[in-house]
Amino acid sequence: MSSHLIARIAWVVPALLLALSIHQVSTAVNLARTLDNGEQAIAEVTRYDRSDRKDVTHVELDLRVRLSDGTLFERTRLALPYSIGHRVEADSLAVTVLPGSSQEVVITVIGRTQVSIAWSNAAMSFVIFLMAFAGVFSWNRWLRKNS
């Protein structure tokens, strides 16, 4: 495979990083929208799984939420950042629900922290996107000049 072909294919890296940045911005906005516009409710924690192994750390839970109109929401396998998972070890949790949104259920006590984490992830991936873009752009330009 020639260097020119590899340099062209390398454009995939900054494209994926930009897509990740956009996704994290969307996540932050949707989490904040649910927190600001959603209905307050109490969720029953039907399963809480936390792994403290050095090689695999995660927090995952299942929730059952009954809204004021009687609607029942069940969400399974909700993954949470390990660093804040200890804040949701309970039999029931206050949640904010916005049916139909991409983030329908947000645990209220950690919601703003999750918004901050998503914004932070967006910023970090955007900075890395800029670095990757500069690198791939420079490499492609160098190859054009020296071929």
Side-chain angles (χ1 to χ4, degrees):
M1 213 183 284
S2 75
S3 297
H4 292 282
L5 180 59
I6 294 171
R8 297 272 185 239
I9 293 171
W11 281 110
V12 169
V13 173
L16 290 174
L17 288 165
L18 181 60
L20 177 61
S21 296
I22 292 167
H23 176 269
Q24 288 300 299
V25 166
S26 174
T27 299
V29 168
N30 289 328
L31 282 166
R33 183 179 303 124
T34 297
L35 286 169
D36 294 339
N37 302 323
E39 175 185 337
Q40 299 296 314
I42 299 297
E44 175 190 352
V45 178
T46 57
R47 183 181 66 88
Y48 179 88
D49 181 37
R50 179 181 174 130
S51 172
D52 293 320
R53 292 181 12 204
K54 276 187 172 185
D55 58 335
V56 179
T57 57
H58 78 274
V59 174
E60 189 177 86
L61 54 109
D62 298 345
L63 298 176
R64 183 179 301 130
V65 183
R66 185 167 304 279
L67 299 178
S68 60
D69 66 359
T71 305
L72 184 65
F73 269 32
E74 290 194 54
R75 294 298 177 259
T76 59
R77 303 183 59 87
L78 296 172
L80 297 176
Y82 180 79
S83 60
I84 60 175
H86 66 280
R87 293 169 57 188
V88 297
E89 289 185 52
D91 293 334
S92 63
L93 298 167
V95 295
T96 307
V97 181
L98 187 59
S101 73
S102 66
Q103 299 289 332
E104 288 186 308
V105 178
V106 178
I107 299 169
T108 308
V109 70
I110 62 170
R112 294 291 168 201
T113 303
Q114 287 183 291
V115 171
S116 297
I117 289 170
W119 280 117
S120 177
N121 288 343
M124 287 185 291
S125 59
F126 188 72
V127 167
I128 296 169
F129 154 75
L130 292 174
M131 292 167 51
F133 180 86
V136 172
F137 177 81
S138 299
W139 184 23
N140 276 277
R141 193 172 76 176
W142 182 84
L143 284 174
R144 259 186 313 227
K145 282 184 179 180
N146 296 310
S147 297

